Amino acid sequence: MFSTANAVNEIKRYGTFRILAIVSVVLPLICGIIILYSWEDICDPTNPDRASYCKSIGNIRDYAPRFSVGPSSSCDCSRQELPDCSGNGVPIRGPDPFCSCHWGWTGDDCSIEDVRDPRNALIYLAYGETNGINTGATNYLDDVAYAVGLVNANLLANFSMDIVVLYGGIKVPDLETYEPFKRIRVASPRFPVKFVEVFLDFPDSLRDEFTKEPPGGGGCAHLRWATNYLHMCRFFENTVFKLPELAEYDFVWRMDSDLFMVGKYPCNPFEVFIKSQAVFGFVSGANSETPECQGPIKQLSFEYAKQNNFNAEHLHYMYPPNMTTYSGAFGMFKWSFFSSPQFLRYADWLDDFGLPYRHRMGEQVFLVNALGLFIPQSAIWQFGSFGKWEHKFRGSG
């Protein structure tokens, strides 16, 4: 039955709908304008409001302003005196402690200003036939071309970096005319592309043993893993840090060849990383890993510290429910640390145990242990959000 009261209620109801409709359109526009004109502040990890960007775009389930693995005061590391880095660097524990200077500083105690632009690289690996096994290298290169095109389109900040495509086990008749390489160059109008041939192989000390009886990864994930995949694991735990072609760079960003950046990112990731004053940066990780996919790396790492008379920095806390692995598909590296004699000495010592082959141990496990030995937890940075990704192997995220 029609009444004045019903009419008023209907007007109120539809009026409310109109208001909500207007708000739903106008509010995102206002937020977009705020984000557009506030990138410089939002992209600054020292800004307490930086999480506003992470909350507006992308997935923040793994977001943390500073990754923490436990109270540092719980570890008695008094057996070793660490260097004075003048407040401008990270003291690195180990057999020969040293300062990893923050960007803009140099010298043994990080007291000398170093004013220059950072040299940045984004690296991919495409590997083909190794030990008679072919993984379909052309498919990897096609993935790289697609990934590089998305990076060029979706990194919105203006900055410089090289894209370095590392390739192994791929027959390339000519660097300039090889079609898969040409497609990658075409996909990258913003960033110069370099191609570097690399060699994936067993450690010298284990080559004879593994050649006679190829390892299969020790039952990790109940699978027998192809040898060239295990070579890839070893490559990112040892060989890559020794490449002379990467020695010219200050910061190296590594992504899987099939990790696709399908969402927009307004920041310069290198600038975010530099301002965080970190040694290593990651996006996500996990608080568990099956024993078959780790092997005895944690015991070996503690043994390495014992043999070299130093206490592990924060490795004691890298057990469930704390972080036990970093996502291996993405990493940001302060290259001067990862190519340092101290880091490489540990990587070479561990290399002789053949864990990537005996246990399919990936870099995500290796890095937790290496960093847990040498650097304070405050020097590990978790990026809040890189927008939307697709990992060909794992799906969207």
Side-chain angles (χ1 to χ4, degrees):
M1 180 177 178
F2 179 80
S3 69
T4 303
N6 286 339
V8 170
N9 287 334
E10 289 297 304
I11 292 171
K12 286 181 178 179
R13 186 160 67 91
Y14 286 107
T16 301
F17 287 156
R18 288 193 187 94
I19 292 172
L20 290 174
I22 293 171
V23 169
S24 67
V25 173
V26 173
L27 187 58
L29 290 175
I30 294 173
C31 292
I33 292 170
I34 292 173
I35 291 173
L36 180 64
Y37 289 102
S38 303
W39 282 352
E40 182 176 353
D41 293 331
I42 290 169
C43 296
D44 184 352
T46 64
N47 181 349
D49 295 326
R50 64 185 177 277
S52 60
Y53 168 67
C54 301
K55 291 176 181 176
S56 64
I57 301 177
N59 188 333
I60 63 167
R61 284 177 299 176
D62 297 312
Y63 177 70
R66 278 286 191 184
F67 172 58
S68 178
V69 294
S72 58
S73 60
S74 300
C75 174
D76 177 14
C77 299
S78 58
R79 289 197 315 177
Q80 186 177 49
E81 184 177 347
L82 294 178
D84 177 13
C85 301
S86 308
N88 300 319
V90 177
I92 304 299
R93 196 173 294 279
D96 299 302
F98 69 98
C99 289
S100 177
C101 298
H102 299 322
W103 185 249
W105 298 93
T106 188
D108 291 342
D109 61 353
C110 304
S111 61
I112 302 171
E113 286 194 73
D114 181 17
V115 182
R116 61 184 176 87
D117 293 330
R119 297 160 299 183
N120 308 316
L122 167 59
I123 65 172
Y124 294 96
L125 172 67
Y127 58 96
E129 183 174 311
T130 55
N131 294 335
I133 303 173
N134 194 296
T135 55
T138 303
N139 293 336
Y140 277 120
L141 291 173
D142 288 345
D143 286 343
V144 172
Y146 181 54
V148 165
L150 290 172
V151 163
N152 273 257
N154 292 332
L155 282 175
L156 304 183
N158 184 25
F159 64 97
S160 63
M161 74 174 180
D162 292 339
I163 293 178
V164 181
V165 180
L166 310 171
Y167 67 96
I170 302 172
K171 295 179 181 179
V172 179
D174 183 81
L175 287 176
E176 298 300 322
T177 61
Y178 187 51
E179 282 298 325
F181 286 4
K182 287 171 66 175
R183 289 196 290 271
I184 295 172
R185 288 193 186 94
V186 170
S188 186
R190 292 178 56 193
F191 305 111
V193 180
K194 299 180 180 180
F195 297 93
V196 175
E197 186 175 15
V198 297
F199 299 92
L200 285 70
D201 201 356
F202 299 119
D204 291 341
S205 60
L206 299 173
R207 184 174 291 108
D208 289 345
E209 174 189 345
F210 287 160
T211 300
K212 292 176 184 176
E213 188 174 347
C220 171
H222 306 291
L223 297 173
R224 181 171 181 83
W225 298 82
T227 302
N228 47 10
Y229 181 89
L230 303 179
H231 281 327
M232 180 273 294
C233 293
R234 180 196 175 229
F235 179 83
F236 282 119
E237 298 165 24
N238 186 291
T239 311
V240 68
F241 304 116
K242 303 174 181 177
L243 293 178
E245 293 85 356
L246 297 181
E248 66 181 276
Y249 297 106
D250 300 297
F251 301 98
V252 173
W253 178 13
R254 168 266 196 274
M255 285 203 294
D256 270 3
S257 300
D258 59 354
L259 183 62
F260 306 136
M261 187 179 189
V262 296
K264 305 292 184 184
Y265 184 66
C267 308
N268 172 353
F270 295 100
E271 184 178 15
V272 172
F273 185 63
I274 288 171
K275 288 182 177 180
S276 76
Q277 298 184 336
V279 169
F280 173 71
F282 71 106
V283 169
S284 63
N287 62 0
S288 65
E289 179 63 282
T290 58
E292 294 82 4
C293 301
Q294 297 184 76
I297 184 172
K298 194 147 288 185
Q299 298 93 314
L300 289 172
S301 297
F302 281 122
E303 178 62 26
Y304 181 82
K306 181 179 178 181
Q307 289 182 14
N308 289 277
N309 299 311
F310 72 96
N311 283 8
E313 179 67 50
H314 71 261
L315 187 55
H316 311 74
Y317 303 108
M318 305 306 282
Y319 290 93
N322 298 320
M323 191 78 73
T324 59
T325 66
Y326 301 119
S327 175
F330 176 109
M332 184 77 76
F333 300 82
K334 186 179 183 182
W335 210 244
S336 59
F337 167 75
F338 286 93
S339 60
S340 68
Q342 179 129 293
F343 181 85
L344 293 178
R345 187 188 309 175
Y346 165 76
D348 284 343
W349 180 83
L350 197 65
D351 196 36
D352 287 336
F353 292 94
L355 299 185
Y357 301 97
R358 302 186 196 278
H359 298 278
R360 205 240 69 172
M361 185 190 74
E363 68 186 282
Q364 58 268 36
V365 173
F366 167 77
L367 288 171
V368 161
N369 285 268
L371 297 173
L373 279 179
F374 298 122
I375 72 171
Q377 58 205 41
S378 60
I380 299 173
W381 175 260
Q382 184 174 13
F383 287 92
S385 173
F386 258 84
K388 184 174 175 57
W389 297 85
E390 287 183 1
H391 199 180
K392 188 175 179 180
F393 176 67
R394 298 182 184 277
S396 299

